[in-house]
C-alpha cells in the first residue's frame, strides 16, 4: 500500500494527487448522469455501487 | 469490428473547435467535445471490451486498472478545467454513442446550466486534519506498584486520552467551520482509513472547499493561520482540484 501514501504537505501542490484523494472525488462526487443512456444493464448507479463496494472492501481488509 | 461507446468526462462551457485536440483520454483515445444548446461535453470513444457491463465489473476489481482509468479521467478533466468552466462527471459514465450523450444532456437542460454557473471562476481545495500523535505516556517509575495504583493510573491515562480525542475532534470541526466561512461552499468526504493514507495519525477531517480563483491565496493563508492556532492538529492542503466535490446537479 505504500504507493497510496500521502505526500508531505509542502509538496502537495506540485505532487500528483494521491489515489485515495482522487477516488474520494471521482467515485463519491460529480455530476451523475444515470438513466437509460448508460450501456450497462442497471446504469451508472450500479457501477457506483460496485466501486463503493470495492473501496469499502479495501478499507475493511486494510483495517484488519 | 469492436463495439464502441462514448465515455463522458465533464460538462463544460463550450470551447472553440479543436481546443482539446492534443489531448488523449482513456486508453489513449482522442478526446473530443460535443455540444448542444450552449452546453458542451468532453468525451472520447471507448471499447465495450473494456467498458461493457461484464468487462467493466471485472476491471473495477483490478486496482491497477482502476488507478489508470481514474488518472486518465482526471488528466482530461484538469485539461478542460484549465480552459473553461468544467463540471466533472462521475467516473465511468458511459453512453451508447455521442447522440445518446447529447440527448441526456439536453434532458438535464437548465440544471447543467445552473451547475456551470455555480462553478464559474471557482476551484476546489482539499483540507485534511490529522490528530497529532501524542507522545507515549511516561513509563512508571521503577519499583513495585500496587495493583490498585496500576489500575488507577491506567484509568487516568484512558480518561486523558479520551479528553484529548474529544478536544481534537472539536478543533477539527472548528477548522471546517472557519474554512466554510472563507469559501463559497464546503463539503466533507468520509475520513480515510490510515491504511489507505499510509499516515499513522488518525484523520479527523477530510473536507473540500469551493473557492474563488481570486481568493486562492487568502484561503491558503486561512489554512496556515488555523494550523498555527490548533497545534493538536496537522492540516494538509491539497489542490487546486477541478471542482469535483461541487459538481452536483442537486446542490444541498
Amino acid at each position: 500500500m505504500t504507493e497510496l501514501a500521502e505526500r508531505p504537505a509542502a509538496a502537495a501542490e506540485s505532487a500528483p494527487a494521491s489515489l485515495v484523494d482522487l477516488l474520494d472525488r471521482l467515485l463519491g462526487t460529480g455530476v451523475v448522469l444515470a438513466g437509460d443512456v448508460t450501456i450497462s444493464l442497471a446504469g451508472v448507479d450500479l457501477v457506483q455501487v460496485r466501486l463503493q463496494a470495492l473501496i469499502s472492501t479495501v478499507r475493511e481488509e486494510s483495517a484488519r | 469490428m469492436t463495439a464502441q461507446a462514448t465515455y463522458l468526462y465533464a460538462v463544460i462551457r463550450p470551447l472553440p473547435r479543436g481546443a482539446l485536440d492534443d489531448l488523449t483520454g482513456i486508453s489513449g483515445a482522442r478526446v473530443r467535445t460535443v455540444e448542444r444548446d450552449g452546453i458542451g461535453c468532453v468525451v472520447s470513444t471507448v471499447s465495450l471490451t473494456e467498458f461493457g457491463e461484464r468487462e467493466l465489473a471485472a476491471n473495477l476489481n483490478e486496482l491497477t486498472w482502476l488507478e489508470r482509468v481514474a488518472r486518465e479521467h482526471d488528466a482530461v478533466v484538469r485539461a478542460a478545467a484549465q480552459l473553461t468552466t468544467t463540471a466533472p462527471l462521475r467516473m465511468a459514465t458511459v453512453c451508447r454513442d455521442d447522440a445518446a450523450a447529447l440527448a441526456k444532456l439536453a434532458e438535464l437542460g437548465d440544471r447543467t446550466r445552473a451547475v456551470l454557473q455555480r462553478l464559474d471562476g471557482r476551484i476546489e481545495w482539499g483540507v485534511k486534519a490529522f490528530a497529532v500523535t501524542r507522545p507515549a505516556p511516561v513509563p512508571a517509575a521503577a519499583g513495585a506498584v500496587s495493583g490498585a495504583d496500576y489500575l488507577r493510573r491506567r484509568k487516568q491515562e484512558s480518561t486523558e486520552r479520551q479528553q484529548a480525542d474529544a478536544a481534537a475532534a472539536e478543533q477539527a470541526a472548528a477548522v471546517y467551520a472557519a474554512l466554510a466561512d472563507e469559501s463559497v461552499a464546503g463539503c466533507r468526504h468520509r475520513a480515510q482509513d490510515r491504511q489507505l493514507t499510509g499516515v499513522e495519525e488518525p484523520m479527523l477531517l477530510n473536507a473540500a472547499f469551493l473557492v474563488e480563483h481570486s481568493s486562492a491565496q487568502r484561503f491558503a493563508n486561512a489554512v496556515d493561520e488555523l494550523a498555527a492556532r490548533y497545534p493538536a492538529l496537522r492540516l494538509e492542503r491539497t489542490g487546486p482540484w477541478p471542482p469535483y466535490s461541487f459538481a452536483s446537479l442537486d446542490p444541498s
Side-chain angles (χ1 to χ4, degrees):
Chain A
M1 279 294 164
T2 46
E3 73 271 20
L4 298 181
E6 280 295 349
R7 313 280 164 161
E13 285 176 52
S14 52
S18 88
L19 179 60
V20 189
D21 286 350
L22 193 55
L23 292 182
D24 272 346
R25 289 168 170 80
L26 295 195
L27 306 185
T29 67
V31 173
V32 180
L33 269 190
D36 53 359
V37 298
T38 55
I39 52 156
S40 59
L41 293 178
V44 174
D45 286 342
L46 179 62
V47 172
Q48 292 311 316
V49 167
R50 288 208 171 105
L51 290 173
Q52 296 291 6
L54 170 70
I55 300 305
S56 305
T57 307
V58 172
R59 285 195 164 129
E60 280 159 18
E61 280 172 4
S62 303
R64 269 179 212 144
Chain B
M1 188 189 139
T2 316
Q4 295 180 325
T6 297
Y7 184 103
L8 288 71
Y9 298 87
V11 175
I12 57 167
R13 285 204 190 282
L15 286 165
R17 188 178 290 278
L20 295 177
D21 271 1
D22 294 337
L23 210 53
T24 51
I26 287 167
S27 303
R30 207 169 67 82
V31 171
R32 300 172 279 119
T33 56
V34 293
E35 184 184 332
R36 179 182 286 177
D37 300 334
I39 299 289
C41 189
V42 184
V43 303
S44 70
T45 301
V46 290
S47 164
L48 289 184
T49 58
E50 197 171 13
F51 282 89
E53 164 81 2
R54 203 172 312 147
E55 295 80 357
L56 184 59
N59 283 333
L60 292 174
N61 289 317
E62 297 288 338
L63 197 55
T64 44
W65 186 90
L66 182 64
E67 171 157 21
R68 172 176 67 79
V69 172
R71 295 209 182 278
E72 287 169 344
H73 177 105
D74 183 52
V76 171
V77 169
R78 281 174 192 269
Q82 291 288 320
L83 300 175
T84 187
T85 303
T86 299
L89 285 142
R90 249 183 221 197
M91 186 175 153
T93 301
V94 180
C95 292
R96 283 188 304 275
D97 51 26
D98 288 6
L102 282 170
K104 190 66 189 175
L105 280 184
E107 208 175 286
L108 294 172
D110 286 344
R111 296 166 78 203
T112 53
R113 252 174 274 278
V115 174
L116 290 173
Q117 205 161 8
R118 213 157 68 89
L119 301 179
D120 275 334
R122 294 166 176 172
I123 48 175
E124 175 175 332
W125 289 94
V127 174
K128 290 179 273 188
F130 297 88
V132 170
T133 311
R134 290 178 296 278
V138 181
V145 180
S146 77
D149 280 349
Y150 175 79
L151 288 176
R152 202 176 305 124
R153 199 168 59 223
R154 285 295 298 270
K155 184 151 186 271
Q156 190 190 340
E157 279 169 13
S158 162
T159 307
E160 283 169 2
R161 206 176 310 127
Q162 280 169 15
Q163 284 168 348
D165 287 349
E170 244 170 65
Q171 292 181 7
V175 165
Y176 178 80
L179 292 177
D181 279 349
E182 285 288 333
S183 55
V184 178
C187 112
R188 280 181 226 236
H189 295 294
R190 207 162 63 156
Q192 296 164 353
D193 188 277
R194 71 183 76 178
Q195 294 294 324
L196 288 181
T197 62
V199 174
E200 199 44 52
E201 305 147 340
M203 186 183 290
L204 301 177
L205 177 69
N206 182 18
F209 299 93
L210 187 64
V211 178
E212 301 282 354
H213 264 296
S214 53
S215 305
Q217 190 56 51
R218 216 181 79 176
F219 183 81
N221 293 344
V223 175
D224 290 346
E225 281 163 27
L226 289 164
R229 194 186 311 165
Y230 298 116
L233 302 179
R234 186 171 63 76
L235 299 186
E236 190 178 292
R237 187 163 54 90
T238 64
W241 293 89
Y244 284 114
S245 305
F246 303 95
S248 169
L249 289 177
D250 304 294
S252 46

